[in-house]
Amino acid sequence: MILVTGGAGFIGANFILDWLRERDEPVLNVDKLTYAGNLENLADLAGDPRYAFVQGDIADHGLIDALLAQHKPRALINFAAESHVDRSIHGPGEFIQTNIVGTFKLLESVRAYFATLDETKKAAFRFLHVSTDEVYGSLTADAPPFTEDTRYEPNSPYSASKAASDHLVRAYHHTYGLPVVTTNCSNNYGPYQFPEKLIPLVIANALAGKALPIYGDGQQIRDWLYVADHCAAIRRVLEGGAVGEVYNIGGWNEKPNLDIVHSICDLLDKLRPRTDGKPYREQITYVTDRPGHDRRYAIDASRIERELGWAPAETFATGIAKTVRWYLDHSEWIRNVQSGAYREWVEKNYAGRKQ
Ligand code: NAD
Ligand code: TYD
């Protein structure tokens, strides 16, 4: 079996659902269920004997040690993290705790478990650490995309805490021989993404008749990848990735934020026109920029393509159309996650921004 941490979040939930469709191997999901963890994402697995859930913190040594000893996974995939840049600006403490201390504690538990395995099981075991392209910092307009050799220059408390976790994972390989692999992926989008991130926020706000907030001039560039393509890449890296190595994952799909918001508005105009017949683009509102906002991210994914034969299945046009349709079909999911805590966050993040 495999152990997944953070599997009740956006990418982890997509990964578990895809894994059980693609592979017939059980999954244990350990998730703390922070505001971003949502068991409703995995409701389709109710009664599936291949799936088990335990609520817990990756920093809880006793719990993780006991789960490893009991279930003896052949791999651990670490998705658990605090993941939202804006939240890391308002309160970095949780990011340091989970992304740095939590990853360290998890590595310690896995190191102790790994020592108990026989040689065959040791050779097969993998610790796959899921990380982000944001550790590489910001690119100028004409700079080449990030490769696995690009220097780490994290700029936000989020990316700095992920960078620290990547360094710890690397050190546990070099120092203790732990068979780790790290992936650094670009911005994901797709079903089950919490509506505080740009794409689901814009879809939810558009449908609710609210403003579509664009930070600064909206010309910041991200490289967008459909979440199922990220999940497929992680499966490939787990199967064929070289121990101790790093794989950048991206969709060769750089777009300015404003273009993303325009695409969503235009799709909604066709699929769910406004009752007053006006275009959704009219809801776009420019607001005060994010402090220290990285201007451009771009991933060079040639290594994973060349060495592991992975390539994204979706273009941005097909992926965003699927995503918008999914949110239109899951209005109850959106309503359920827009709890009191969500409304407090929206107030905290947007109230102080000038229009
Ligand atoms: P998310 O915020 O949607 O989900 C994170 C999950 O981790 C939640 O279910 C949460 O409850 C859980 N969690 C948080 N702290 C925990 C702890 N201490 N112990 C156990 N569980 C805990 O995040 P996501 O977008 O699904 O991202 C998953 C991973 O992928 C993260 O490591 C993130 O850095 C990385 N990543 C995300 C993106 C993206 O665009 N979303 C891109 C590249 C990499
Ligand atoms: P986000 O989804 O938070 O991902 P990240 O910061 O990890 O790239 O934001 C994506 C881009 O969209 C980023 O450049 C910030 C911008 N953005 C807005 O312009 N308005 C918003 O309300 C949000 C949440 C993000």
Side-chain angles (χ1 to χ4, degrees):
M1 61 99 69
I2 61 166
L3 195 155
V4 165
T5 67
F10 162 49
I11 305 174
N14 277 282
F15 178 83
I16 292 173
L17 292 167
D18 285 1
W19 177 267
L20 292 172
R21 271 192 292 268
E22 301 283 330
R23 305 273 189 280
D24 197 20
E25 185 177 9
V27 183
L28 173 65
N29 174 18
V30 181
D31 195 297
K32 187 178 172 184
L33 297 183
T34 66
Y35 77 93
N38 181 1
L39 290 180
E40 203 183 329
N41 300 351
L42 296 157
D44 288 352
L45 298 178
D48 189 327
R50 301 169 304 165
Y51 172 71
F53 171 71
V54 173
Q55 182 169 7
D57 190 325
I58 54 168
D60 183 343
H61 232 327
L63 174 74
I64 303 292
D65 287 353
L67 291 173
L68 290 169
Q70 183 191 344
H71 295 276
K72 303 198 177 354
R74 61 132 183 136
L76 187 150
I77 302 152
N78 183 31
F79 292 95
E82 289 292 334
S83 72
H84 188 192
V85 175
D86 289 321
R87 284 188 189 252
S88 82
I89 294 168
H90 285 279
E94 282 298 312
F95 289 72
I96 305 306
Q97 178 55 35
T98 281
N99 300 358
I100 307 181
V101 179
T103 304
F104 157 66
K105 294 272 182 68
L106 184 65
L107 283 163
E108 278 292 87
S109 293
V110 174
R111 178 162 81 94
Y113 165 67
F114 183 70
T116 67
L117 300 179
D118 64 30
E119 290 312 312
T120 316
K121 291 207 166 109
K122 273 189 174 147
F125 186 79
R126 293 290 179 275
F127 180 101
L128 195 155
H129 180 61
V130 179
S131 192
T132 165
D133 62 356
E134 303 194 22
V135 297
Y136 299 120
S138 185
L139 291 167
T140 53
D142 51 2
F146 305 128
T147 70
E148 290 79 0
D149 296 323
T150 302
R151 196 171 71 164
Y152 272 34
E153 285 182 349
N155 290 321
S156 70
Y158 164 64
S159 55
S161 65
K162 289 296 289 187
S165 70
D166 294 5
H167 291 323
L168 284 169
V169 169
R170 176 188 161 88
Y172 271 64
H173 172 64
H174 281 265
T175 307
Y176 304 114
L178 201 67
V180 308
V181 203
T182 297
T183 56
N184 292 89
C185 189
S186 59
N187 281 56
N188 283 216
Y189 66 99
Y192 303 111
Q193 188 167 28
F194 195 72
E196 64 181 4
K197 304 278 174 86
L198 180 70
I199 288 180
L201 179 100
V202 165
I203 300 171
N205 280 15
L207 294 172
K210 294 184 181 158
L212 311 181
I214 307 283
Y215 295 167
D217 64 1
Q219 292 309 310
Q220 304 84 1
I221 291 173
R222 299 291 182 262
D223 178 345
W224 295 92
L225 183 69
Y226 189 65
V227 63
D229 282 326
H230 186 190
C231 295
I234 292 171
R235 291 197 303 274
R236 269 308 290 137
V237 172
L238 191 61
E239 276 162 12
V243 164
E245 293 297 336
V246 172
Y247 295 88
N248 281 359
I249 305 172
W252 300 102
N253 178 51
E254 289 182 54
K255 287 196 186 298
N257 293 339
L258 194 57
D259 287 17
I260 299 289
V261 176
H262 284 162
S263 309
I264 295 168
C265 289
D266 298 351
L267 276 163
L268 286 173
D269 286 340
K270 286 197 201 102
L271 296 169
R272 183 71 56 85
R274 273 173 44 158
T275 46
D276 62 5
K278 291 188 176 159
Y280 282 98
R281 288 188 188 206
E282 288 201 354
Q283 288 167 232
I284 289 174
T285 313
Y286 291 87
V287 300
T288 310
D289 208 351
R290 170 189 282 173
H293 199 168
D294 284 340
R295 197 69 184 162
R296 175 176 166 238
Y297 303 139
I299 279 276
D300 179 338
S302 354
R303 180 177 194 191
I304 186 169
E305 291 177 355
R306 193 177 57 245
E307 295 182 13
L308 300 179
W310 171 87
E314 303 291 342
T315 62
F316 185 71
T318 59
I320 194 71
K322 281 187 181 178
T323 304
V324 169
R325 276 199 205 94
W326 188 88
Y327 282 92
L328 285 173
D329 292 342
H330 292 80
S331 48
E332 199 181 321
W333 182 91
I334 301 181
R335 240 192 334 275
N336 291 347
V337 296
Q338 288 176 328
S339 63
Y342 176 77
R343 286 196 294 276
E344 271 165 39
W345 163 251
V346 169
E347 174 67 16
K348 190 188 226 176
N349 193 40
Y350 295 99
R353 291 178 195 269
K354 281 209 190 77
Q355 298 200 350

